[in-house]
Amino acid sequence: MVLIGLMGSGKSTVGPRLAGRLGLPFADNDAILLRRSGRTARDIEQSEGFDALHRAEADALLEALRTPAVIAAAAGAVPEPDVARALRGAEVVYLRADPDVLAGRLLHDDGYRPIGRDPHELLREQFRQRDDAYRAVASLVVDATAPVDDIVERIISAVAP
């Protein structure tokens, strides 16, 4: 299962709880990227630019897809054509929220995210660019403003046989 959404949507918070409930390991795209490259997303963006970052994130996500897990996908990886193809047929959950709500969650800089400018402006732009792509690969869209436990329950109830 792959969790997608913009920065601040809760993928890294929901993911471990969901994985525990489903009895699966949790894989965070950012942690895989750091393990593979020795650098954070912010480091890659600052030294090589967004295109290089998105490619590195996509490669890390494609690696994670090889093993059954709950995966928190990097926001910029999903629109990559090879990732979109790889996600077809997978259980993909889009944690969707208003960009201004998400920007409010990013007020404390964690040093990892490649923000670089006003988070409200950045997330509004990314929402316009990515919302359709996220919806196109998602098998489920969940309101990311709900409490974490409610989000987990919503996902569990949607995927339970």
Side-chain angles (χ1 to χ4, degrees):
M1 176 175 299
V2 182
L3 302 177
I4 64 173
L6 295 176
M7 289 185 288
S9 63
K11 300 177 301 277
S12 297
T13 302
V14 171
R17 291 188 195 185
L18 182 61
R21 292 282 306 278
L22 295 173
L24 292 169
F26 173 67
D28 190 292
N29 209 147
D30 292 335
I32 297 166
L33 179 68
L34 183 60
R35 178 181 48 78
R36 287 174 58 115
S37 69
R39 300 182 297 162
T40 66
R42 178 179 287 178
D43 293 339
I44 295 170
E45 182 273 322
Q46 289 177 342
S47 66
E48 299 176 44
F50 277 111
D51 289 342
L53 169 61
H54 295 162
R55 184 67 254 156
E57 289 173 331
D59 291 342
L61 179 55
L62 291 169
E63 175 185 311
L65 287 169
R66 295 183 195 135
T67 307
V70 172
I71 303 165
V78 176
E80 292 290 321
D82 55 340
V83 171
R85 278 190 302 277
L87 291 176
R88 286 193 187 108
E91 192 70 46
V92 179
V93 178
Y94 176 15
L95 300 179
R96 187 175 190 270
D98 181 274
D100 288 324
V101 170
L102 299 179
R105 294 178 179 177
L106 301 179
L107 291 178
H108 297 12
D109 186 358
D110 62 9
Y112 290 94
R113 297 172 199 220
I115 298 173
R117 65 181 206 236
D118 175 56
H120 292 274
E121 176 187 318
L122 174 66
L123 287 166
R124 285 182 201 132
E125 180 182 315
Q126 289 181 345
F127 185 83
R128 283 190 302 275
Q129 293 171 343
R130 298 176 181 169
D131 187 55
D132 288 340
Y134 289 173
R135 286 177 175 274
V137 298
S139 47
L140 177 66
V141 178
V142 177
D143 177 7
T145 63
V148 173
D149 290 334
D150 291 352
I151 293 170
V152 170
E153 288 304 320
R154 169 82 171 92
I155 296 168
I156 296 272
S157 67
V159 301

